[in-house]
Amino acid sequence: MSAAAFACPLVALLSTGGTSRNSTKYSSFHACPLHRCKKNSFKTATRCSLDLDIFQEKERDGILYSLPVSNFSARCRLVIYAKEIPIEIQTPPTGLKSEEYRKVNPFGKVPALWLADNNLTLLESEVINEYLIDKYMHVSPSFIPKTAENRAIARLVSRIHDLYIGPYQYGLYRDVAMTERQSCFDAGRKAMQVLESVVQATPYVAGERISLGDVALFPSLVFWEYLAPRYYGWYPLEKLPKLRGWFHFMKTESAASEKVYKEVMEGLETWEKNGRFEKMGLKQQRVA
């Protein structure tokens, strides 16, 4: 069987002329994802190595396709950083909606995780994180609370986020009618009020260990805390002391959470510098 048969879906495009701005040395049993391999490299082996040495010849276990300003991608990056998993993080080089990237994720969204060992691609952030926690269970932190009750709380926090906060976050930064924006804010406000009664903040949302509940909620609240006061005159956590204390703790909880916080903030600041919000007239809007 040819080496190309094992390649990540975007290899075919990039091996014939496409490139990646963030290319790194990559070594894999199957193929070199998203990069041009050295000439004739597949004639002798199913490995390839690229020119930049950011990873110092380390083998990568796969690639996470991600965007800095993506709360769902950020929760996966947090787990990868915290466990120091050898997974390369890439921006989709051909764009989210391109035909090539849809071969990786048919929905044209991030995150997506391509695994080098078995040429498997996983979609959906919670599925990806559950895989990472299972696969790298031997690496600390475990992201699993000690008790059944706390594990249930962690899942509940993640579920509330995914159903009642994440789907409405677009109201913060997309050009939609004010009535729709208000509806998004009402949904987010209600969910945060419910979470205030659910989270333990001792210091994590479900006890003494970081969990998928913390990972799901933290990147999204960076969006709400940055955008809501600036453009809507609303301070989301002002009257939610447990959530507020937990959020400020998470910002400096570890090098991993600090890195994710910085990535998301830099992405939002770039949007602002590029005039995204001003063009939408957000400075004149307020929410009830």
Side-chain angles (χ1 to χ4, degrees):
M1 183 176 292
S2 68
F6 292 99
C8 174
L10 283 179
V11 172
L13 168 75
L14 294 174
S15 63
T16 57
T19 60
S20 171
R21 290 178 296 177
N22 299 319
S23 59
T24 62
K25 287 182 180 291
Y26 192 97
S27 182
S28 163
F29 175 78
H30 293 296
C32 177
L34 303 180
H35 303 293
R36 289 180 299 136
C37 298
K38 288 184 177 180
K39 187 175 182 181
N40 299 325
S41 63
F42 284 138
K43 289 186 177 181
T44 57
T46 58
R47 289 176 175 268
C48 59
S49 180
L50 300 176
D51 297 331
L52 300 183
D53 61 355
I54 187 172
F55 290 119
Q56 303 296 321
E57 297 285 1
K58 288 182 181 178
E59 288 197 2
R60 303 284 92 186
D61 288 358
I63 291 179
L64 178 76
Y65 297 109
S66 168
L67 292 174
V69 186
S70 164
N71 52 325
F72 287 98
S73 295
R75 66 202 279 187
C76 297
R77 298 198 305 269
L78 205 161
V79 171
I80 290 170
Y81 296 154
K83 285 181 171 286
E84 298 183 354
I85 301 171
I87 288 177
E88 183 178 339
I89 296 174
Q90 285 268 343
T91 297
T94 57
L96 286 178
K97 304 304 180 182
S98 68
E99 180 180 351
E100 292 77 16
Y101 181 67
R102 285 184 185 273
K103 294 176 182 177
V104 175
N105 186 339
F107 298 110
K109 296 181 178 181
V110 289
L113 176 63
W114 180 79
L115 302 172
D117 285 347
N118 50 25
N119 197 33
L120 174 68
T121 300
L122 298 177
L123 311 179
E124 299 301 320
S125 58
E126 193 78 343
V127 173
I128 291 170
N129 274 349
E130 287 176 356
Y131 165 81
L132 294 173
I133 288 170
D134 188 17
K135 178 73 172 181
Y136 301 93
M137 182 65 69
H138 59 288
V139 181
S140 180
S142 70
F143 290 96
I144 300 176
K146 292 181 179 180
T147 68
E149 291 76 13
N150 282 351
R151 290 192 290 274
I153 291 172
R155 293 188 188 98
L156 178 59
V157 170
S158 180
R159 191 67 173 159
I160 290 173
H161 169 272
D162 288 353
L163 290 176
Y164 305 109
I165 294 180
Y168 299 100
Q169 188 164 298
Y170 75 90
L172 286 164
Y173 51 80
R174 290 184 185 170
D175 194 2
V176 297
M178 191 56 191
T179 53
E180 184 176 355
R181 199 182 306 283
Q182 184 70 57
S183 178
C184 289
F185 272 69
D186 291 343
R189 181 185 286 112
K190 176 63 176 179
M192 291 180 205
Q193 290 170 346
V194 172
L195 283 171
E196 177 71 9
S197 67
V198 171
V199 303
Q200 295 179 350
T202 57
Y204 299 102
V205 298
E208 299 175 355
R209 291 184 179 182
I210 191 171
S211 70
L212 288 186
D214 301 278
V215 170
L217 187 58
F218 177 61
S220 286
L221 287 193
V222 178
F223 281 75
W224 290 86
E225 279 287 277
Y226 181 88
L227 294 173
R230 281 174 170 79
Y231 296 109
Y232 305 101
W234 175 45
Y235 295 81
L237 304 182
E238 185 177 22
K239 298 180 180 179
L240 304 173
K242 284 200 296 181
L243 271 181
R244 184 173 66 251
W246 165 83
F247 179 71
H248 288 296
F249 164 76
M250 282 294 297
K251 287 194 290 186
T252 57
E253 179 272 336
S254 65
S257 62
E258 286 189 61
K259 185 173 183 179
V260 166
Y261 178 76
K262 181 179 179 181
E263 289 173 344
V264 176
M265 285 292 291
E266 287 179 347
L268 292 171
E269 289 167 354
T270 298
W271 274 359
E272 188 163 29
K273 290 176 183 177
N274 291 341
R276 177 189 180 105
F277 310 122
E278 189 171 0
K279 291 174 185 177
M280 292 165 56
L282 294 188
K283 290 185 177 180
Q284 289 76 41
Q285 299 195 34
R286 290 291 183 270
V287 293

